[in-house]
Coordinates of all heavy atoms in Angstrom, one line a residue:
I1 N 10.7 -20.1 -3.5 CA 10.5 -18.7 -3.8 C 10.3 -18.5 -5.2 O 9.5 -17.7 -5.7 CB 11.7 -17.9 -3.2 CG1 11.7 -17.9 -1.7 CG2 11.7 -16.5 -3.7 CD1 13.0 -17.4 -1.1
I2 N 11.1 -19.2 -6.0 CA 11.0 -19.0 -7.5 C 9.7 -19.6 -8.0 O 9.0 -19.1 -8.8 CB 12.2 -19.7 -8.2 CG1 13.5 -18.8 -8.0 CG2 12.0 -19.8 -9.7 CD1 14.8 -19.5 -8.4
E3 N 9.3 -20.8 -7.5 CA 8.0 -21.3 -7.9 C 6.9 -20.6 -7.5 O 5.9 -20.3 -8.3 CB 7.9 -22.8 -7.2 CG 6.7 -23.5 -7.6 CD 6.5 -24.9 -6.9 OE1 7.5 -25.5 -6.5 OE2 5.4 -25.3 -6.6
E4 N 6.9 -20.0 -6.4 CA 5.8 -19.1 -5.9 C 5.8 -17.9 -6.8 O 4.6 -17.4 -7.2 CB 6.0 -18.6 -4.5 CG 4.9 -17.7 -4.0 CD 5.1 -17.2 -2.6 OE1 6.3 -17.3 -2.0 OE2 4.1 -16.8 -1.9
A5 N 6.9 -17.2 -7.2 CA 6.9 -16.1 -8.0 C 6.4 -16.5 -9.4 O 5.6 -15.7 -10.0 CB 8.3 -15.6 -8.2
D6 N 6.7 -17.7 -9.9 CA 6.2 -18.1 -11.2 C 4.7 -18.2 -11.1 O 3.9 -17.7 -12.0 CB 6.8 -19.4 -11.6 CG 8.0 -19.3 -12.4 OD1 8.4 -18.2 -12.9 OD2 8.7 -20.4 -12.7
E7 N 4.1 -18.8 -10.1 CA 2.7 -18.9 -9.9 C 2.0 -17.6 -9.9 O 0.9 -17.4 -10.6 CB 2.4 -19.7 -8.6 CG 2.7 -21.3 -8.8 CD 2.4 -22.0 -7.5 OE1 1.7 -21.5 -6.6 OE2 2.9 -23.3 -7.5
V8 N 2.5 -16.6 -9.1 CA 1.8 -15.4 -8.9 C 1.9 -14.7 -10.3 O 0.9 -14.1 -10.7 CB 2.5 -14.6 -7.8 CG1 2.0 -13.1 -7.8 CG2 2.2 -15.2 -6.4
A9 N 3.1 -14.6 -10.9 CA 3.2 -13.8 -12.2 C 2.4 -14.5 -13.2 O 1.8 -13.7 -14.1 CB 4.7 -14.0 -12.6
G10 N 2.1 -15.7 -13.2 CA 1.2 -16.4 -14.2 C -0.3 -16.0 -14.0 O -1.0 -16.1 -14.9
E11 N -0.7 -15.4 -12.8 CA -2.1 -15.1 -12.5 C -2.3 -13.6 -12.8 O -3.4 -13.3 -12.6 CB -2.3 -15.5 -11.0 CG -2.2 -17.0 -10.8 CD -2.4 -17.4 -9.3 OE1 -2.7 -16.4 -8.5 OE2 -2.3 -18.5 -9.0
V12 N -1.3 -12.8 -13.1 CA -1.5 -11.4 -13.3 C -1.6 -11.0 -14.7 O -0.7 -11.3 -15.5 CB -0.3 -10.7 -12.5 CG1 -0.4 -9.1 -12.7 CG2 -0.1 -11.1 -11.1
D13 N -2.7 -10.3 -15.0 CA -2.9 -9.9 -16.4 C -2.4 -8.4 -16.6 O -1.9 -8.1 -17.7 CB -4.3 -9.9 -16.7 CG -4.9 -11.3 -16.8 OD1 -4.1 -12.3 -17.2 OD2 -6.1 -11.6 -16.6
D14 N -2.5 -7.6 -15.6 CA -2.1 -6.2 -15.7 C -0.6 -6.0 -15.6 O 0.0 -6.4 -14.6 CB -2.8 -5.4 -14.6 CG -2.6 -3.9 -14.7 OD1 -1.5 -3.5 -14.3 OD2 -3.5 -3.1 -15.2
N15 N 0.0 -5.3 -16.6 CA 1.4 -5.2 -16.6 C 2.0 -4.4 -15.3 O 3.1 -4.8 -14.8 CB 2.0 -4.5 -17.8 CG 1.9 -5.5 -19.0 OD1 1.9 -6.7 -18.9 ND2 2.0 -4.9 -20.2
S16 N 1.2 -3.4 -15.0 CA 1.7 -2.7 -13.7 C 1.7 -3.5 -12.5 O 2.6 -3.4 -11.6 CB 0.9 -1.4 -13.6 OG 1.1 -0.6 -14.6
V17 N 0.6 -4.3 -12.4 CA 0.5 -5.2 -11.2 C 1.6 -6.3 -11.3 O 2.2 -6.7 -10.3 CB -0.9 -5.8 -11.1 CG1 -1.0 -6.8 -9.9 CG2 -1.8 -4.6 -10.9
L18 N 1.9 -6.8 -12.6 CA 2.9 -7.8 -12.7 C 4.2 -7.2 -12.3 O 5.0 -7.9 -11.6 CB 3.0 -8.3 -14.2 CG 4.0 -9.2 -14.5 CD1 3.9 -10.5 -13.7 CD2 4.0 -9.6 -16.0
D19 N 4.5 -5.9 -12.7 CA 5.8 -5.4 -12.1 C 5.9 -5.3 -10.6 O 6.9 -5.7 -10.1 CB 5.9 -3.9 -12.7 CG 6.3 -3.9 -14.2 OD1 6.7 -4.9 -14.7 OD2 6.1 -2.8 -14.8
A20 N 4.9 -5.0 -10.0 CA 4.8 -5.0 -8.5 C 5.1 -6.4 -7.9 O 5.8 -6.6 -7.0 CB 3.5 -4.5 -8.0
A21 N 4.5 -7.4 -8.6 CA 4.6 -8.8 -8.2 C 6.1 -9.2 -8.4 O 6.7 -9.9 -7.6 CB 3.7 -9.6 -8.9
L22 N 6.7 -8.8 -9.5 CA 8.0 -9.1 -9.8 C 9.0 -8.5 -8.8 O 10.0 -9.2 -8.4 CB 8.5 -8.6 -11.2 CG 7.8 -9.4 -12.4 CD1 8.1 -8.8 -13.7 CD2 8.3 -10.9 -12.5
I23 N 8.8 -7.3 -8.4 CA 9.6 -6.7 -7.3 C 9.5 -7.4 -6.1 O 10.5 -7.8 -5.3 CB 9.3 -5.2 -7.1 CG1 9.8 -4.3 -8.3 CG2 9.9 -4.7 -5.8 CD1 9.4 -2.9 -8.3
A24 N 8.3 -7.8 -5.7 CA 8.1 -8.6 -4.5 C 8.8 -9.9 -4.5 O 9.4 -10.3 -3.5 CB 6.6 -8.8 -4.2
A25 N 8.8 -10.6 -5.7 CA 9.5 -11.8 -5.8 C 11.0 -11.7 -5.7 O 11.6 -12.4 -5.0 CB 9.2 -12.4 -7.1
A26 N 11.5 -10.6 -6.3 CA 12.9 -10.3 -6.3 C 13.3 -10.0 -4.9 O 14.4 -10.4 -4.5 CB 13.2 -9.2 -7.3
Q27 N 12.5 -9.3 -4.1 CA 12.9 -8.9 -2.8 C 12.9 -10.2 -1.9 O 13.7 -10.3 -1.0 CB 12.0 -7.8 -2.3 CG 12.5 -6.5 -2.8 CD 11.8 -5.4 -2.1 OE1 10.6 -5.2 -2.2 NE2 12.7 -4.6 -1.5
A28 N 12.0 -11.1 -2.2 CA 12.1 -12.4 -1.4 C 13.4 -13.1 -1.6 O 14.1 -13.6 -0.7 CB 10.8 -13.3 -1.8
V29 N 13.8 -13.1 -2.9 CA 15.1 -13.7 -3.2 C 16.3 -12.9 -2.4 O 17.1 -13.6 -1.9 CB 15.3 -13.7 -4.7 CG1 16.8 -14.1 -5.1 CG2 14.4 -14.7 -5.4
E30 N 16.2 -11.6 -2.6 CA 17.2 -10.8 -2.0 C 17.3 -11.1 -0.5 O 18.5 -11.2 0.1 CB 17.0 -9.3 -2.3 CG 17.2 -8.9 -3.7 CD 18.5 -9.2 -4.2 OE1 19.5 -9.0 -3.6 OE2 18.5 -9.8 -5.4
H31 N 16.2 -11.2 0.2 CA 16.2 -11.3 1.7 C 16.9 -12.7 2.0 O 17.5 -12.8 3.0 CB 14.8 -11.2 2.2 CG 14.3 -9.7 2.0 ND1 13.0 -9.4 2.4 CD2 14.9 -8.7 1.6 CE1 12.9 -8.2 2.2 NE2 13.9 -7.6 1.7

């Protein structure tokens, strides 16, 4: 889960989109 989040976050240039990706990653961890 953490590795996937790192990969996705590394591919996002737009800060707003990065925030959405960070929430998705955090929710995967929470679940």
